[in-house]
């Protein structure tokens, strides 16, 4: 069943679909990562693309819950940042395409909120 998006704010960023899939920089059209459709509950991403463009994405849903801050590191499986508790893939950020980023993402299953800064 499709989720109902409550907030979706994209700045210089495009998603392949409504709330997931491939993510692109709107300025240079480069692929910057992949957002897994069904495993995240809330996303806050700010980044600087290698082209110099600043971009961001904020997405949450009608049924989103407040996540618990998790100090565990992501588990990395095949280039994807995954939840440390259940190994579910959450997001991929293509390091070679972005100069830096700040990421907060909440796992839908366990409500762990992960943070990563590059």
């Amino acid at each position: 069943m499709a989720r109902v998006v409550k907030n979706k704010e994209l700045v210089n960023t495009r998603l392949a679909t409504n709330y997931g899939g491939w993510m692109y920089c709107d300025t240079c059209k480069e692929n910057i990562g992949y957002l897994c459709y069904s495993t995240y509950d809330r996303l806050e991403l700010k980044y600087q693309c290698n082209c110099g463009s600043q971009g961001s994405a904020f997405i949450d849903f009608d049924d989103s819950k407040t996540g618990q801050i998790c100090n565990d590191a992501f588990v990395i499986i095949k280039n994807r940042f995954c939840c440390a508790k259940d190994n579910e893939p959450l997001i991929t950020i293509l390091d070679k395409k972005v100069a830096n980023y700040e990421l907060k993402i909440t796992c839908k299953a366990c409500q762990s909120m992960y943070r990563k800064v590059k």
Side-chain angles (χ1 to χ4, degrees), residues 1-16:
M1 182 172 157
R3 299 181 76 191
V4 177
V5 175
K6 181 168 108 180
N7 295 295
K8 180 178 174 183
E9 299 167 14
L10 303 176
V11 176
N12 293 327
T13 305
R14 183 174 52 84
L15 290 174

Side-chain angles (χ1 to χ4, degrees), residues 31-102:
N31 178 347
I32 60 156
Y34 184 85
L35 179 59
C36 299
Y37 296 91
S38 60
T39 55
Y40 80 96
D41 201 32
R42 179 184 172 101
L43 168 73
E44 293 179 59
L45 172 66
K46 294 178 183 176
Y47 67 92
Q48 180 177 353
C49 182
N50 285 341
C51 75
S53 176
Q54 299 282 332
S56 64
F58 171 67
I59 303 170
D60 69 353
F61 303 91
D62 279 345
D63 61 349
S64 289
K65 296 174 180 68
T66 302
Q68 305 276 338
I69 295 173
C70 179
N71 292 320
D72 295 337
F74 286 109
V75 172
I76 300 174
I77 301 172
K78 294 184 179 178
N79 229 17
R80 292 202 174 163
F81 295 137
C82 302
C83 177
K85 294 182 174 52
D86 60 12
N87 290 344
E88 285 291 328
L90 299 170
I91 192 169
T92 300
I93 302 291
L94 300 175
D95 281 341
K96 63 184 178 186
K97 300 289 180 90
V98 294
N100 58 62
Y101 63 87
E102 292 179 37

